[in-house]
Amino acid sequence: MTVKEQNEASRPSHFIRNIIADDREKNVHQGRVHTRFPPEPNGFLHIGHAKSICLNFSMAEEFGGKCNLRFDDTNPAKEEQAYIDAIKADIEWLGFRWEEPVHYASDYFDQLHDWAVYLIGQGKAYVCHLSPDEAREYRGTLTEAGKDSPYRNRSVEENLRLFEQMKNGELAEGSCVLRAKIDMSSPNINLRDPIMYRIRHVSHHQTGNKWKIYPTYDYTHGQSDAIEGITHSICTLEFEDHRPLYEWYLDNLPIENKPRQYEFARLNLNYTVTSKRKLKQLVDEGHVNGWDDPRMPTISGMRRRGVSPAALRHFCEMIGVARSESIVDVGMLEHAIRDDLDKNAPRAMCVLNPLKVVITNYPQDQIEQLKAPNHPNKPEMGERQLPFAREIYIDVDDFREEANKKYKRLVLGKEVRLRNAYVIRADEVIRNAEGEIDEIRCTYDPETLGQNPLDGRKVKGVIHWVAAHRCLDVEVRLYDRLFLAEHPDAKKDVDFLTHINPDSLRVLQGCKAESSLANAHPEQGFQFEREGYFCLDRFDATEDKPVFNRTISLRDSWSKLDSEN
RNA sequence: UGGGGUGUCGCCAAGCGGUAAGGCCCCGGGUUUUGAUCCCGGUAUGCGUAGGUUCGAAUCCUGCCACCCCAGCCA
């Protein structure tokens, strides 16, 4: 198999790729491929945007083309510079490089204005003084045609004069708009004389106080694409009805390069909310700690949680690109995350709920330095030292006074393997005044380091542990799904907030981590063996107080078994 | 009851007239000092539905059904 074939095999065809490949073969756009990712800076990017980013950037990359980053900043009231900065950081973190410089739709406000004057001159645009309510009435309904605005036949001169006044801030906000003169009886409502400009006496994060009028998305997007030489303008399905309008502007303006718009189905994930409005609500109302809270499906949230760019990109490839609306199982995202971490995360041990174990036949002051591989299947990842001593911690869940045969951990009177160390036997349970278990007294078999018991005894279980006096005291944040309902926003009459998982974050203090973890870097993924994947929080961890976020647990076929009994 | 779309395994998704890819999930079995990973094997006589064309249809034609989007001076 050639490299190209392998590539094609691992990247299944999808309709956008097919269209582009086809266009290149037919030399459409002189064989150029130029895409763009056009976010509005009114919130943080989420997993759905990741799909679009991967699509746009990878199509350009694959076909030797370019991909622009363009902020779709036509509504200054909702936009902020802070979002622009965050969006740029997210895209870079994902590993994509846009074609410099960064573009803004607002870069084209002058050109757009001149084109509006041009359309007025052609008798194809007019200033309309209908109030919003009146305009709605005149627009008609889905089944009834609209009516022409009484202002539709103003003279070119009057329109020019009024538009100039709009531009100069001489007219009040909301008093009138500039509309394209298309067809009030079109079955496509977008063609019923759509608004091109509205008056907004607000300053803009890029253009300051220069403008009193701002163009709408429809009047801006296609032309911006054309100006930038975009060939394939990829957007989501809900813009499909806008395509005739997109093309109307390109056809009625003196524009050479005509980009084509293609629509794909946006990403939906179960147990997740991906609507900027709702995500903003979660942030604004304090249900989470900011846009980059590790529970958020935002790119920065997932980053902070410990998800790698590679995992996200792989996920986007797995789910494909199509035109049918679908809801992807979060299990697929989780699989992509585990798959990446399993291959790349060094192993370590950390006891989440410590239970002291005293090994009575181990010398009082002795400390051995055991060796442990950093990855069981990748010797090239090296090994580390693991101090072993008379007192260790194991997890509360890994000991039972009595249990059936299915329980493969430490049971009173039975043996278990300490991961990377010896086999121990539980001899005695020590209780405090309240009758709670305080510690377990064990004995170890010195002949079992790196080998099975010499007499052929079978020890089936393996548990993790940490040396009591050589470990780190750490905080661990256990994250779980933010929503309990599979489709949190499915019902319009049920507030999605009612489905919030009250246990989406559990903070554990006093967890005991092996000492080598003192060298962990923020965002570096580790597998805490038998527990899951964790990383140091990039904002809250300090030298004195390490804070680890659980990215995701290990797959667990035991808890299912256990609960069946 | 207008217009635009979509319907292939529990969830994604290839397929474009030659006899249903792949991934996730699930179920068996094997390896394993992580109940992880990994490895083998299994899972649609069926492609929304009813007809038609054809030697042959998920692919072409016709009717029907279901679901999604559109009546912001949001994008």
Side-chain angles (χ1 to χ4, degrees):
Chain A
M1 205 186 255
T2 66
V3 173
K4 193 188 168 204
E5 281 167 342
Q6 270 175 5
N7 221 289
E8 279 165 3
S10 65
R11 292 163 186 267
S13 75
H14 62 239
F15 78 101
I16 302 263
R17 177 178 281 119
N18 294 160
I19 286 168
I20 296 177
D22 216 55
D23 284 349
R24 292 198 82 211
E25 213 162 286
K26 294 176 180 150
N27 215 243
V28 180
H29 304 293
Q30 301 83 238
R32 289 167 47 238
V33 175
H34 202 333
T35 57
R36 102 268 91 115
F37 173 63
E40 185 191 10
N42 66 346
F44 276 50
L45 262 24
H46 56 65
I47 182 97
H49 296 105
K51 177 179 179 181
S52 174
I53 291 168
C54 288
L55 215 208
N56 278 294
F57 280 93
S58 64
M59 284 304 94
E61 202 169 279
E62 213 174 299
F63 292 98
K66 300 171 177 175
C67 182
N68 288 0
L69 168 61
R70 180 172 72 234
F71 287 98
D72 220 334
D73 55 351
T74 57
N75 187 8
K78 291 187 176 172
E79 299 158 5
E80 288 176 28
Q81 182 62 41
Y83 292 133
I84 291 175
D85 300 337
I87 288 168
K88 288 199 277 194
D90 286 345
I91 297 170
E92 287 183 319
W93 175 77
L94 266 178
F96 293 109
R97 295 292 170 265
W98 55 80
E99 198 63 25
E100 294 289 355
V102 171
H103 298 269
Y104 296 83
S106 53
D107 292 343
Y108 315 129
F109 281 178
D110 283 306
Q111 174 67 266
L112 255 9
H113 167 267
D114 293 350
W115 275 335
V117 169
Y118 172 87
L119 283 176
I120 292 172
Q122 299 281 305
K124 291 174 179 169
Y126 63 98
V127 173
C128 179
H129 276 78
L130 246 26
S131 72
D133 283 344
E134 292 167 330
R136 193 178 313 119
E137 263 175 56
Y138 275 77
R139 192 154 38 228
T141 68
L142 295 177
T143 52
E144 297 162 46
K147 302 179 291 195
D148 285 359
S149 161
Y151 306 100
R152 200 171 198 258
N153 293 313
R154 291 218 252 227
S155 68
V156 168
E157 292 67 33
E158 187 181 9
N159 282 320
L160 252 16
R161 184 175 51 78
L162 287 168
F163 186 51
E164 179 70 13
Q165 288 178 355
M166 283 170 66
K167 187 186 114 182
N168 293 339
E170 293 163 23
L171 302 178
E173 277 192 29
S175 60
C176 59
V177 294
L178 183 71
R179 294 225 250 168
K181 193 188 288 186
I182 306 181
D183 179 7
M184 287 307 292
S185 64
S186 171
N188 181 342
I189 290 178
N190 294 122
L191 262 18
R192 316 240 263 229
D193 290 9
I195 290 170
M196 295 166 59
Y197 272 95
R198 51 321 201 191
I199 302 170
R200 284 291 115 91
H201 293 178
V202 296
S203 70
H204 185 286
H205 47 98
Q206 301 304 309
T207 60
N209 294 316
K210 176 173 177 182
W211 296 92
K212 306 299 176 198
I213 54 173
Y214 291 96
T216 57
Y217 164 85
D218 283 314
Y219 180 65
T220 305
H221 206 87
Q223 293 92 301
S224 301
D225 284 341
I227 291 167
E228 292 177 19
I230 300 304
T231 55
H232 302 264
S233 182
I234 304 169
C235 62
T236 44
L237 248 29
E238 67 268 29
F239 291 101
E240 194 162 8
D241 289 344
H242 295 240
R243 194 169 64 221
L245 180 53
Y246 180 101
E247 288 168 352
W248 189 91
Y249 286 126
L250 296 179
D251 290 342
N252 286 279
L253 256 8
I255 284 173
E256 292 295 307
N257 171 61
K258 292 191 182 175
R260 296 274 306 234
Q261 173 182 303
Y262 299 95
E263 311 86 17
F264 70 98
R266 66 167 353 116
L267 169 66
N268 296 297
L269 264 189
N270 62 10
Y271 296 101
T272 309
V273 144
T274 43
S275 126
K276 256 195 220 173
R277 204 209 97 229
K278 293 195 174 87
L279 293 177
K280 189 169 191 304
Q281 190 182 346
L282 289 170
V283 174
D284 290 346
E285 295 178 4
H287 299 105
V288 295
N289 304 313
W291 284 97
D292 59 4
D293 184 296
R295 291 166 292 184
M296 291 283 273
T298 51
I299 292 176
S300 55
M302 292 188 287
R303 171 184 182 176
R304 189 169 171 194
R305 177 132 167 194
V307 175
S308 72
L312 241 27
R313 290 168 68 153
H314 179 222
F315 169 71
C316 289
E317 223 159 72
M318 279 170 67
I319 58 175
V321 179
R323 286 178 61 86
S324 61
E325 291 198 61
S326 57
I327 301 172
V328 174
D329 192 332
V330 263
M332 258 209 254
L333 209 212
E334 294 172 347
H335 171 266
I337 294 168
R338 287 194 182 100
D339 196 49
D340 171 71
L341 256 9
D342 173 62
K343 287 182 179 67
N344 304 310
R347 314 285 122 128
M349 293 196 284
C350 178
V351 174
L352 268 26
N353 301 298
L355 170 61
K356 185 186 278 188
V357 168
V358 178
I359 301 165
T360 54
N361 62 337
Y362 195 86
Q364 193 77 246
D365 301 318
Q366 183 173 318
I367 290 176
E368 268 181 283
Q369 291 296 337
L370 306 181
K371 292 225 190 280
N374 289 327
H375 190 113
N377 312 319
K378 286 184 159 185
E380 66 274 22
M381 284 179 72
E383 49 185 25
R384 65 193 191 279
Q385 294 211 311
L386 219 49
F388 185 80
R390 179 182 165 92
E391 293 193 3
I392 63 172
Y393 290 113
I394 67 168
D395 198 279
V396 166
D397 288 338
D398 287 338
F399 174 76
R400 286 186 188 176
E401 291 183 75
E402 48 187 59
N404 62 25
K405 288 194 294 292
K406 281 185 182 167
Y407 186 80
K408 301 199 298 179
R409 308 180 188 186
L410 187 60
V411 178
L412 190 59
K414 305 257 172 59
E415 287 184 309
V416 77
R417 156 77 61 184
L418 292 177
R419 176 73 166 160
N420 296 126
Y422 301 95
V423 168
I424 57 170
R425 173 189 305 279
D427 304 315
E428 188 187 357
V429 174
I430 308 293
R431 294 171 189 281
N432 63 17
E434 283 76 49
E436 296 157 341
I437 296 178
D438 233 16
E439 63 175 59
I440 312 296
R441 294 284 167 101
C442 295
T443 44
Y444 85 118
D445 180 347
E447 304 297 326
T448 54
L449 187 62
Q451 62 183 5
N452 288 323
L454 299 172
D455 61 5
R457 282 165 12 246
K458 293 284 180 251
V459 178
K460 51 184 189 303
V462 180
I463 63 173
H464 56 101
W465 58 278
V466 125
H469 303 292
R470 294 294 172 93
C471 62
L472 270 29
D473 198 80
V474 304
E475 174 179 322
V476 170
R477 297 175 181 173
L478 298 179
Y479 293 104
D480 206 342
R481 292 173 179 172
L482 223 204
F483 294 98
L484 261 10
E486 181 164 1
H487 306 293
D489 51 3
K491 291 184 184 163
K492 288 176 185 70
D493 53 330
V494 179
D495 189 350
F496 76 104
L497 295 173
T498 63
H499 298 301
I500 287 183
N501 176 6
D503 293 320
S504 61
L505 168 59
R506 276 168 51 217
V507 179
L508 266 32
Q509 301 290 351
C511 303
K512 308 295 186 185
E514 72 171 67
S515 50
S516 73
L517 253 7
N519 306 119
H521 301 298
E523 296 185 63
Q524 180 191 4
F526 287 92
Q527 184 195 105
F528 288 175
E529 290 191 277
R530 302 210 315 127
E531 290 290 357
Y533 297 96
F534 296 76
C535 74
L536 207 57
D537 188 90
R538 72 185 181 118
F539 298 124
D540 295 345
T542 64
E543 194 107 340
D544 306 331
K545 185 62 185 290
V547 175
F548 284 95
N549 295 325
R550 181 172 71 190
T551 309
I552 193 162
S553 64
L554 251 28
R555 276 186 76 212
D556 178 14
S557 52
W558 157 250
S559 61
K560 224 186 313 173
L561 264 180
D562 191 35
S563 59
E564 279 167 11
N565 293 310

